[in-house]
Amino acid sequence: SEAETRRRYIDVSLKESGWENLRPGYELEYKVQGMPASTNPSGVGYVDYVLWGDDALPLAVIEAKKSMADSRKGRHQAELYANCLEAMHGQRPVIFYSNGFETYLWDDQFYPEREVQGFYSKDELQRLVDRRQKRTDLREFTVNQEIAGKGRPYQLEAIARVAENSVTVGVNNELRGRARQSLLVMATGSGKTRTAAAIVDMFSKCNWVKRVLFLADRNALVTQAKNAFNAYLPNLTAIDLTKEKELDGTRLVFSTYPTIMNRIDRLDDDGQRFYGVGHFDLIIVDEAHRPVYQKYRAIFEYFDARLIALPATPKTDV
């Protein structure tokens, strides 16, 4: 049943994301006005879950379905609830719909729906909502040529292509997200790390990205990348996860695949995950050849992040 699905799966997933104190009538079964008469003649609806920000504005709405139902059947209902909440509180929430096994996130102001592995924490949702006003057009960004592009115009070309691949405009000329994955096929020695650092600088300064995960398959490559990023982006805090403990405010995390896999699987003493599905906004995959991607696919499926892949050498099978 839907009630059992909520208790066994959705409530547990929310707890892992820091949503523990779910109060009836507020986070649970919140009453809204303004439902269309065709759906409910009284105009009243009861939202399965509403997740609230510290400013008492709605950050997310969750529509639950029983586990045997397709969770996407809740999409239209969730959209109607989001319309009501926006009219009542002046802020449009991010939309989730879930049957406990499949969960979809739909930030309908910017991206189409996409499947995710769980729910965002309060801080992660607040960042999503705040970006609606703060995000700027990547295509208009001026690359810092002290990082990349000096004497190597193909690096500027690569950065421009990532920007064009990531953003488009809607019917009213408003910014909209486009592709969430980019592949840069660059030969060894052509400055992949510099180019990646300049892309992080672009995403960060345009308010698209706060936290970045850089993955490599050997400790030496992790250390090398971290040292390079420290030189190129000294204002962004960085750690090597294979050697250091992360604090909550770290902006750049460098890790091998097994190390981050272990951190994903681990719960803290409160039953929460340090790395929630929305923790990272961008993942950079160094040497992204096919066996690595297939072996560690769970990392890319778990984090709801943009992906930039840098293959080891230009090959047709990447």
Side-chain angles (χ1 to χ4, degrees):
S1 68
E2 184 187 310
E4 193 71 358
T5 299
R6 288 169 63 168
R7 186 180 69 81
R8 284 174 177 256
Y9 303 114
I10 297 177
D11 289 358
V12 172
S13 184
L14 283 167
K15 183 184 178 185
E16 288 181 0
S17 307
W19 298 99
E20 291 189 88
N21 184 25
L22 302 176
R23 296 160 288 182
Y26 195 54
E27 282 87 7
L28 303 173
E29 302 298 333
Y30 183 73
K31 182 180 178 180
V32 293
Q33 304 281 352
M35 293 291 282
S38 58
T39 304
N40 191 334
S42 70
V44 173
Y46 291 88
V47 191
D48 289 339
Y49 299 84
V50 180
L51 305 180
W52 301 90
D54 291 333
D55 54 6
L57 294 177
L59 292 175
V61 55
I62 304 170
E63 173 65 10
K65 291 293 173 194
K66 64 182 180 181
S67 58
M68 290 297 287
D70 186 337
S71 58
R72 284 171 290 190
K73 286 183 177 176
R75 172 182 161 137
H76 180 61
Q77 185 82 356
E79 184 180 14
L80 295 179
Y81 288 147
N83 294 342
C84 293
L85 285 162
E86 183 179 16
M88 292 167 65
H89 298 280
Q91 177 170 286
R92 186 167 188 81
V94 176
I95 296 168
F96 289 90
Y97 29 101
S98 177
N99 64 6
F101 292 91
E102 294 175 343
T103 300
Y104 286 85
L105 181 158
W106 185 23
D107 184 5
D108 63 348
Q109 303 281 291
F110 200 70
Y111 277 122
E113 65 176 359
R114 59 185 183 270
E115 190 171 358
V116 291
Q117 297 297 309
F119 301 102
Y120 276 39
S121 71
K122 184 187 286 188
D123 288 346
E124 291 158 5
L125 282 172
Q126 191 66 60
R127 282 207 306 275
L128 272 190
V129 171
D130 290 346
R131 280 189 190 128
R132 292 170 182 169
Q133 274 72 48
K134 295 179 179 177
R135 199 187 268 119
T136 58
D137 195 336
L138 298 169
R139 297 167 300 181
E140 296 173 3
F141 180 75
T142 303
V143 176
N144 179 355
Q145 294 203 25
E146 294 303 313
I147 301 175
K150 212 173 196 178
R152 293 187 168 192
Y154 60 85
Q155 292 178 350
L156 296 176
E157 181 85 3
I159 297 161
R161 290 291 170 263
V162 170
E164 290 167 8
N165 192 40
S166 302
V167 65
T168 185
V169 291
V171 288
N172 298 317
N173 221 32
E174 76 281 10
L175 281 185
R176 291 277 181 171
R178 197 166 169 266
R180 290 173 57 84
Q181 300 185 348
S182 297
L183 177 73
L184 294 182
V185 183
M186 297 175 69
T188 303
S190 60
K192 286 188 293 184
T193 307
R194 275 185 177 272
T195 305
I199 289 169
V200 169
D201 189 49
M202 172 181 71
F203 275 119
S204 177
K205 287 179 176 169
C206 291
N207 291 309
W208 284 59
V209 160
K210 182 178 180 184
R211 295 191 183 112
V212 180
L213 174 63
F214 187 103
L215 291 171
D217 59 356
R218 297 197 305 279
N219 285 25
L221 291 174
V222 170
T223 303
Q224 185 181 319
K226 178 180 178 267
N227 292 340
F229 270 73
N230 279 344
Y232 303 144
L233 302 170
N235 296 329
L236 299 183
T237 52
I239 63 145
D240 179 344
L241 202 59
T242 64
K243 301 173 184 172
E244 302 167 84
K245 183 176 172 64
E246 192 195 337
L247 303 172
D248 196 37
T250 310
R251 299 286 300 276
L252 306 175
V253 175
F254 296 82
S255 177
T256 58
Y257 299 96
T259 301
I260 198 70
M261 286 280 275
N262 289 337
R263 298 297 173 94
I264 289 171
D265 287 339
R266 197 181 303 160
L267 295 177
D268 64 20
D269 295 337
D270 297 324
Q272 297 179 10
R273 296 188 188 276
F274 185 84
Y275 288 126
V277 297
H279 189 89
F280 294 107
D281 304 299
L282 173 66
I283 299 176
I284 297 173
V285 189
D286 194 24
E287 305 211 343
H289 37 291
R290 181 174 283 179
V292 164
Y293 187 83
Q294 288 178 332
K295 185 174 181 182
Y296 296 109
R297 183 182 222 112
I299 297 171
F300 313 116
E301 291 176 346
Y302 174 74
F303 289 117
D304 180 40
R306 288 169 198 80
L307 197 61
I308 291 178
L310 309 168
T313 48
K315 286 183 180 176
T316 56
D317 68 343
V318 172

